[in-house]
Amino acid sequence: MSSVTRTAPMLSDGKMFPVTIFVLIANAVASKVLAAFAEHGPVAALVGGLGLSWAFWLSFALCIRLALIEEDRAPRPRDLWVCGACLLAALIPISQVSALACTALALVLLLDRTRGVALKAAAWILLAISVQLLWSRLTMLLFVGPIAALDAHLVSLLTQTPVQGNTVQFADGARGGMSILGACTSVQNASVALMLFVAIVRTFRPAPVRSEIYLLIGLFLSVVVINVVRLALMAQSMAMFRLVHGDVGGGVTNGIITADALLWAVISVRREIFD
């Protein structure tokens, strides 16, 4: 019998999977947290969500909570190998590797029909977190040009100013223009909202239902509208750009997108909450 198999009686998957999830996510975001402390100081870093967002940290906490309430049982040898591989991935000092391992672990848990509803719910949140950490950013790397250009043209429809590629002219006629970069696109902002939606809904209703698809589409479109309005305000003038794009404006925007995601989530699980 291998040493991994002999270790099984000492463990339970009710402890093993939460620890693995925690280590993977912590390693995936550690560089952002440290950079936030170094750049802004402790107080500003905490207020700003430690380099991410408070929607992310709430989703993280709900994911771990659901994994912890899964019924304990002796892990199978393949569970030990899966968690061992994920922990080895966490040792690699590249955040994207841990985020990729989050995706792999989530899919393994979701495809395993023997898993309980709580752990599968945690796996859905883990998958949404990995989309926000890795896949939305990879999408931006591959398609940032057309996505940013689409946002720019939508902004141009509101401001009635010329647009070229991903650059919109300021409405006050100032020289130059506002270039829309990857971090300001609707896709990047929508990934945060979708992650929070999944976290809240899976907490109150562990098993997915078909109606969630329509609500997710509605949430995505609402975030696009919010982001385009924000960009249109920024495109009014350089002074407005600095205000909306600064810490205060960014905080307000994040708050609006978070509230939007919470609203759609509450609509989805209103019966579970209020009945």
Side-chain angles (χ1 to χ4, degrees):
M1 184 181 294
S2 69
S3 59
V4 172
T5 305
R6 288 196 300 270
T7 308
M10 302 170 57
L11 301 171
S12 68
D13 56 10
K15 299 181 180 67
M16 185 173 62
F17 284 113
V19 169
T20 303
I21 292 170
F22 180 88
V23 171
L24 282 177
I25 297 177
N27 190 65
V29 302
S31 60
K32 288 183 176 294
V33 174
L34 294 174
F37 275 109
E39 184 176 352
H40 304 293
V43 175
L46 285 169
V47 172
L50 298 175
L52 293 130
S53 68
W54 287 111
F56 170 84
W57 295 111
L58 176 59
S59 301
F60 184 11
L62 293 175
C63 180
I64 297 298
R65 175 187 172 275
L66 284 167
L68 284 171
I69 65 176
E70 175 74 4
E71 183 179 354
D72 277 351
R73 69 180 188 182
R76 298 163 297 184
R78 72 176 183 180
D79 298 334
L80 296 169
W81 285 111
V82 167
C83 288
C86 289
L87 293 174
L88 285 175
L91 294 176
I92 300 174
I94 302 174
S95 61
Q96 291 83 356
V97 174
S98 290
L100 180 61
C102 287
T103 301
L105 179 58
L107 292 176
V108 167
L109 294 175
L110 290 172
L111 294 173
D112 188 345
R113 295 182 179 179
T114 67
R115 293 296 168 197
V117 293
L119 189 57
K120 283 203 169 187
W124 279 112
I125 301 174
L126 180 62
L127 184 61
I129 289 173
S130 72
V131 168
Q132 201 275 319
L133 292 176
L134 177 64
W135 299 108
S136 66
R137 287 168 169 77
L138 183 59
T139 299
M140 294 311 305
L141 284 175
L142 296 175
F143 304 108
V144 64
I147 291 173
L150 176 59
D151 277 341
H153 281 79
L154 291 174
V155 171
S156 177
L157 290 176
L158 291 180
T159 60
Q160 296 296 300
T161 53
V163 58
Q164 183 174 7
N166 67 328
T167 301
V168 183
Q169 296 300 309
F170 285 113
D172 66 352
R175 293 183 60 186
M178 181 185 75
S179 295
I180 299 175
L181 304 179
C184 290
T185 60
S186 298
V187 169
Q188 192 62 47
N189 287 306
S191 68
V192 177
L194 296 176
M195 172 189 65
L196 181 58
F197 176 93
V198 171
I200 298 296
V201 172
R202 287 287 73 79
T203 297
F204 287 96
R205 185 174 61 229
V209 297
R210 183 173 298 179
S211 63
E212 291 172 14
I213 296 175
Y214 306 110
L215 291 169
L216 283 168
I217 294 172
L219 172 59
F220 179 83
L221 293 176
S222 68
V223 172
V224 171
V225 171
I226 292 169
N227 195 58
V228 169
V229 170
R230 167 180 171 262
L231 292 171
L233 289 173
M234 291 165 56
Q236 295 303 307
S237 65
M238 182 57 71
M240 185 65 76
F241 174 87
R242 293 193 182 99
L243 175 63
V244 179
H245 195 262
D247 292 338
V248 174
V252 171
T253 302
N254 288 335
I256 293 173
I257 291 175
T258 299
D260 183 46
L262 289 173
L263 176 61
W264 285 93
V266 169
I267 292 172
S268 180
V269 292
R270 60 192 182 279
R271 292 188 179 90
E272 288 80 359
I273 295 175
F274 301 111
D275 287 353

